[in-house]
């Protein structure tokens, strides 16, 4: 059975409880007649004349005495499932006739242990409740005892035609089929069978846990106020799959494609990710939320001592995060149409994206197909074993990020977020002529009709001679209001986007900014450093303006009257801040004095910032190379 067809048959599933609603009209069950609903249909296989005699016997008695079912009977006896078929519990059985067995598969099963025979064969062909073949019954999907899903039609079961149907018994009904339903593990069960994928298997199974399935267990009496169970059913689940991958790989009613990295692919990915998450045991950092004095009194590290120290377990956390990022994007749901080519339905182009169950959008999905070394069919989807995990670093473990709000603002009374309707910017493209295309995806997101930035209005500057100073924490805000670091131990290209007054007031006089930037960061020996950006440069860093070049050291001017992307160069952080309440800080200050009215008229005194962007070097280089092609 091909994978696509198996997937399609599961798209519309009926609950197996529908069988409860079917009337028990079998002879010997409730005294009813022999499936009278079939009597109007002459095109079905007829019930044998001795069926009434069989209706007074159990399913096992009928199977054991049937010369066409000797192999079925042998397997039932080997695993002692004959006892269940001889019990009062009501079943529907799809029994393969002897000639339908593959000899090699039959011999394998016969040589297997009882648990294997029960799960892979007996429960594969049996379900609870009454499922007759009836012209009044629509095609459906039934759930067998091992929770696998099977197409059940008026002409076949799992695509195998009937040899005989509606054979009644005292405790159920049996259909003979000319085929043997092939057992498939689900994606979760398949971890036990992985070959040359021990790294993935060992990591996942380390987080297996057993739990009591109260719905499947038989309730017993209360003892000392606690519920007991006469028959306790334990099931297994996995915390990594549920909480990190966010996929129900054990759910037979879902359809997923799972990427399975072999040991080589796992090691290669581990070696790439691991260096980006170096932690030191204790990290001092400047806490912008508590800083009250001017942040630019000195550029010496010794004069800018840390406010707070964050502690971590170092290598343990580094290993844990590395493994987390490997498995984070291994599962893909069939219900998302972007992912269909991964299931063999359609083709992928180089520009197509797919969406993992963890919610990430991933480009370069063609690489999954290119590096597939084997495909496996599972009962709830498929696997692609790959020899390389080739999704880009910036889509997975080393993403770019943007900080849009200063945590620390001095010499100003208020910082305001401005949302400028895009329609008001129509026809004013020159405002953004200095903005490279890479930044458009962040400045103009598809789900927004506004261009946004934060700024200090003239009335909010603390005194006419004040020079506002912004401090940006390179961090995100947790739900409890605490800041959490975003920087990895990696090389980033840093950019700051400044906004002129003309964005919201086209008639405003054009004034240039004169700005300097500092970075507060922690080195590998836990010493806090304070660096003028670009790192290691004291030369003039300016962009040409109508007024020529500024001669101040490390001062940025930009193009007055336009949105400017200020390039602060590359910086390598020696330690990771991810997951900690520690963070590095980018500090932004004016270099011009505003003591004179002439300077206030000449230079832009108010800061307006659309974002501080930290772009991983690999992503920045990739963008630069593609833009030059």
């Amino acid at each position: 059975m091909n994978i696509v067809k198996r997937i399609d048959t599961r798209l519309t599933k009926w609950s197996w409880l529908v069988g409860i609603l079917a009337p028990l009209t079998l002879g010997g069950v409730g005294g009813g007649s022999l499936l009278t609903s079939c009597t109007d249909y002459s095109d079905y296989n007829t019930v044998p004349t001795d069926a009434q005699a069989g209706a007074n016997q159990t399913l096992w008695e009928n199977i054991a005495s049937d010369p066409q079912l000797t192999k079925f009977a042998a397997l039932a006896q080997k695993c002692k499932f004959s006892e269940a078929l001889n019990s009062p519990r009501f079943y529907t059985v799809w029994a393969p006739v002897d000639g339908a067995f593959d000899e090699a598969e039959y011999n394998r099963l016969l040589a297997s242990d009882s648990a294997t025979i029960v799960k892979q064969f007996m429960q594969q062909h049996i379900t609870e409740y009454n499922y007759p073949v009836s012209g009044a019954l629509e095609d459906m999907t039934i759930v067998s005892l091992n929770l696998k899903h099977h197409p059940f039609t008026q002409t076949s079961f799992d695509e195998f035609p009937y040899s005989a149907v509606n054979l009644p018994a005292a405790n159920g009904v049996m259909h003979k089929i000319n085929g043997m339903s092939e057992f498939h593990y689900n994606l979760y069960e398949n971890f036990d069978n992985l070959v040359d994928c021990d790294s993935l298997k060992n990591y996942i199974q380390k987080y297996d846990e057993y739990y009591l399935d109260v719905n499947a267990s038989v309730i017993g009496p209360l003892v000392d106020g606690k519920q007991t169970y006469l028959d306790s059913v334990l099931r297994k689940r996995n915390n990594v799959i549920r909480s990190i991958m966010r996929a129900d790989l054990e759910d037979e009613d879902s359809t997923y494609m799972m990427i399975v990295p072999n040991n080589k692919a796992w090691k290669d990915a581990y070696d790439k990710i691991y260096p980006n998450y170096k932690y030191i045991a204790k990290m001092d950092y400047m806490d912008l939320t508590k800083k009250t004095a001017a942040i630019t009194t000195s550029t010496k590290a010794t004069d800018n001592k840390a406010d707070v120290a964050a502690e971590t377990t170092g290598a343990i956390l580094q290993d844990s995060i590395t493994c987390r990022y490997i498995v984070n994007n291994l599962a893909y749901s069939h219900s998302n149409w972007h992912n269909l080519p991964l299931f063999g339905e359609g083709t992928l182009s180089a520009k197509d994206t797919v969406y993992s169950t963890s919610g990430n959008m991933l480009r370069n999905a063609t690489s999954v197909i290119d590096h597939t070394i084997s495909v496996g069919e599972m009962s709830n989807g498929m696997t692609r074993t790959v020899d390389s995990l080739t999704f880009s670093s910036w889509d997975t473990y080393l993403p770019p990020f943007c900080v849009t709000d200063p945590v620390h603002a001095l010499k100003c009374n208020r910082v305001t977020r401005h949302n400028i309707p895009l329609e008001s910017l129509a026809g004013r493209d020159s405002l953004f002529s200095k903005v490279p295309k890479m930044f458009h995806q962040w400045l103009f997101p598809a789900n927004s009709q506004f261009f946004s930035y934060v700024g200090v209005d003239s009335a909010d500057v603390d005194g006419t001679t004040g020079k506002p100073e912004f401090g940006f924490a390179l961090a995100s805000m947790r739900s409890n209001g605490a800041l959490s670091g975003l920087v990895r131990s990696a090389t980033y290209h840093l950019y700051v986007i400044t906004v002129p007054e003309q964005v919201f007031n086209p008639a405003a006089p054009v004034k240039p900014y004169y700005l300097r930037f500092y970075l507060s960061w922690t080195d590998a020996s836990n010493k806090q450093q304070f660096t003028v950006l670009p790192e290691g440069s004291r030369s003039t860093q300016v962009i040409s303006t109508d007024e020529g070049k500024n001669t101040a050291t490390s001062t940025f001017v930009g193009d007055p009257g336009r949105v400017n992307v200020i390039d602060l160069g590359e910086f390598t952080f020696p330690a990771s801040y991810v997951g900690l309440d520690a963070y590095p800080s980018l500090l932004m200050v004016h270099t011009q004095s505003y003591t004179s009215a002439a300077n206030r008229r000449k230079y832009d005194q108010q800061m307006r910032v659309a974002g501080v962007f930290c772009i991983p070097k690999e992503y920045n280089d990739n963008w630069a190379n593609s833009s030059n092609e």
Side-chain angles (χ1 to χ4, degrees):
M1 185 186 305
N2 65 67
I3 295 170
V4 175
K5 189 166 186 178
R6 175 176 287 274
I7 290 171
D8 289 342
T9 61
R10 289 199 302 272
L11 295 182
T12 55
K13 297 183 174 67
W14 287 33
S15 168
W16 67 342
L17 295 179
V18 73
I20 296 176
L21 304 178
L24 299 179
T25 56
L26 296 175
V29 181
S33 61
L34 177 62
L35 249 104
T36 55
S37 59
C38 290
T39 58
D40 295 332
Y41 297 88
S42 58
D43 56 333
Y44 288 110
N45 294 304
T46 58
V47 178
T49 56
D50 60 347
Q52 190 62 48
N56 297 319
Q57 301 182 133
T58 65
L59 285 165
W60 171 243
E61 289 171 335
N62 286 340
I63 292 169
S65 62
D66 193 322
Q68 289 186 314
L69 302 178
T70 61
K71 292 180 177 179
F72 189 99
L75 291 171
Q77 284 183 309
K78 172 73 184 292
C79 66
K80 296 185 178 180
F81 203 84
S82 54
E83 298 174 7
L85 295 173
N86 214 32
S87 70
R89 196 164 185 174
F90 196 95
Y91 294 113
T92 297
V93 177
W94 286 267
V97 296
D98 288 348
F101 278 84
D102 177 84
E103 285 300 319
E105 178 64 8
Y106 172 69
N107 291 329
R108 181 191 73 83
L109 286 169
L110 200 59
S112 300
D113 57 68
S114 295
T116 299
I117 300 173
V118 168
K119 183 172 184 177
Q120 296 186 12
F121 180 76
M122 301 308 304
Q123 291 184 339
Q124 178 80 357
H125 292 84
I126 301 172
T127 186
E128 292 187 286
Y129 311 117
N130 179 32
Y131 288 93
V133 173
S134 167
L137 188 67
E138 295 183 13
D139 296 348
M140 64 171 68
T141 297
I142 63 97
V143 180
S144 55
L145 292 181
N146 59 2
L147 304 182
K148 304 300 179 180
H149 291 250
H150 307 264
F152 173 42
T153 74
Q154 297 306 297
T155 58
S156 66
F157 171 79
D158 258 3
E159 300 181 354
F160 298 114
Y162 300 119
S163 173
V165 299
N166 303 329
L167 303 176
N171 61 340
V173 64
M174 180 169 61
H175 312 300
K176 295 181 184 180
I177 55 174
N178 289 313
M180 178 179 169
S181 178
E182 184 179 358
F183 173 83
H184 292 277
Y185 292 97
N186 63 40
L187 289 162
Y188 180 42
E189 296 167 333
N190 189 55
F191 281 106
D192 290 329
N193 308 311
L194 294 179
V195 177
D196 194 30
C197 302
D198 304 281
S199 297
L200 172 66
K201 176 181 177 179
N202 294 338
Y203 174 72
I204 293 291
Q205 293 188 332
K206 182 169 61 175
Y207 297 94
D208 280 341
E209 66 176 21
Y210 286 89
Y211 69 98
L212 176 69
D213 187 341
V214 296
N215 294 323
S217 300
V218 179
I219 296 178
L222 290 173
V223 177
D224 297 330
K226 296 182 179 179
Q227 182 66 61
T228 65
Y229 294 88
L230 299 177
D231 182 12
S232 299
V233 177
L234 293 179
R235 300 199 189 282
K236 192 167 63 172
R237 63 189 174 196
N238 187 278
N239 285 324
V240 167
I241 294 173
R242 289 188 299 127
S243 61
I244 297 178
M245 296 174 66
R246 299 180 186 176
D248 296 322
L249 299 185
E250 73 280 10
D251 184 3
E252 299 284 352
D253 202 31
S254 301
T255 304
Y256 298 100
M257 191 286 296
M258 183 172 176
I259 299 174
V260 178
N262 65 10
N263 292 332
K264 174 186 176 299
W266 180 281
K267 183 181 184 304
D268 291 346
Y270 191 97
D271 291 344
K272 288 180 182 178
I273 300 171
Y274 191 78
N276 297 281
Y277 292 90
K278 297 176 184 176
Y279 289 91
I280 56 178
K282 184 177 180 181
M283 178 175 283
D284 296 337
Y285 68 101
M286 178 186 291
D287 186 353
L288 292 182
T289 65
K290 298 179 180 178
K291 205 73 176 175
T292 56
I295 56 182
T296 56
T297 55
S298 173
T299 59
K300 297 179 181 179
T302 55
D303 292 335
N304 292 271
K305 297 186 182 301
D307 299 294
V308 181
E311 297 185 7
T312 178
T313 53
I316 296 176
L317 181 59
Q318 186 176 9
D319 174 78
S320 177
I321 292 180
T322 299
C323 293
R324 181 189 183 102
Y325 273 104
I326 294 177
V327 303
N328 196 39
N329 296 300
L330 295 184
Y332 298 82
S333 174
H334 185 268
S335 62
N336 189 318
W337 66 269
H338 291 90
N339 299 335
L340 295 184
L342 293 177
F343 292 84
E345 301 174 39
T347 57
L348 277 172
S349 71
K351 295 183 179 180
D352 285 341
T353 58
V354 293
Y355 291 81
S356 67
T357 53
S358 58
N360 295 324
M361 180 185 76
L362 301 153
R363 289 157 285 200
N364 192 30
T366 53
S367 62
V368 176
I369 309 298
D370 296 340
H371 286 271
T372 297
I373 56 179
S374 66
V375 175
E377 182 182 356
M378 303 295 116
S379 62
N380 60 344
M382 62 182 290
T383 59
R384 287 187 179 274
T385 302
V386 298
D387 58 11
S388 181
L389 293 171
T390 55
F391 288 126
S392 61
S393 60
W394 53 88
D395 280 340
T396 51
Y397 60 88
L398 190 56
F401 65 90
C402 172
V403 177
T404 58
D405 292 289
V407 175
H408 181 83
L410 284 179
K411 298 184 181 180
C412 60
N413 298 318
R414 185 177 64 180
V415 177
T416 304
R417 172 155 291 281
H418 297 269
N419 296 302
I420 308 301
L422 294 181
E423 59 185 20
S424 70
L425 300 175
R428 303 170 64 199
D429 294 342
S430 61
L431 280 172
F432 298 92
S433 60
K434 299 292 183 180
V435 179
K437 289 183 179 180
M438 178 175 68
F439 296 95
H440 286 210
Q441 59 185 309
W442 297 302
L443 295 180
F444 308 105
N447 59 351
S448 175
Q449 297 298 314
F450 299 94
F451 170 70
S452 301
Y453 65 92
V454 293
V456 180
D457 297 330
S458 299
D460 295 321
V461 176
D462 189 9
T464 57
T465 61
K467 295 190 295 182
E469 300 177 354
F470 282 175
F472 292 89
L474 303 185
S476 62
M477 188 76 72
R478 292 192 177 117
S479 58
N480 62 0
L483 292 170
S484 178
L486 292 173
V487 169
R488 278 78 168 163
S489 50
T491 300
Y492 289 86
H493 210 108
L494 305 179
Y495 299 91
V496 176
I497 299 184
T498 60
V499 179
E501 186 178 0
Q502 285 71 29
V503 166
F504 69 91
N505 182 10
V510 175
K511 301 178 183 179
Y513 276 124
Y514 280 77
L515 302 171
R516 187 171 296 161
F517 298 88
Y518 302 86
L519 185 68
S520 173
W521 56 285
T522 305
D523 65 21
S525 60
N526 194 34
K527 292 182 179 179
Q528 192 177 17
Q529 305 292 339
F530 205 62
T531 302
V532 178
L533 293 180
E535 182 185 18
S537 174
R538 300 292 294 175
S539 61
T540 302
Q541 301 289 333
V542 300
I543 300 175
S544 299
T545 72
D546 294 339
E547 299 178 358
K549 290 183 178 292
N550 182 276
T551 58
T553 302
S554 298
T555 299
F556 293 82
V557 179
D559 195 340
R562 299 175 191 258
V563 175
N564 283 289
V565 178
I566 298 177
D567 186 345
L568 299 180
E570 292 181 358
F571 189 88
T572 300
F573 293 91
S576 175
Y577 296 78
V578 172
L580 307 180
D581 57 4
Y583 48 84
S585 306
L586 183 73
L587 312 174
M588 174 180 177
V589 301
H590 285 277
T591 62
Q592 291 296 323
S593 169
Y594 294 97
T595 55
S596 69
N599 273 7
R600 291 195 294 275
R601 287 193 299 269
K602 185 176 182 180
Y603 304 116
D604 198 337
Q605 185 181 8
Q606 291 78 44
M607 285 187 175
R608 290 172 291 273
V609 180
V612 174
F613 290 83
C614 296
I615 311 297
K617 174 178 170 54
E618 188 174 353
Y619 182 35
N620 194 81
D621 291 348
N622 180 76
W623 168 78
N625 293 334
S626 61
S627 63
N628 292 329
E629 291 178 354

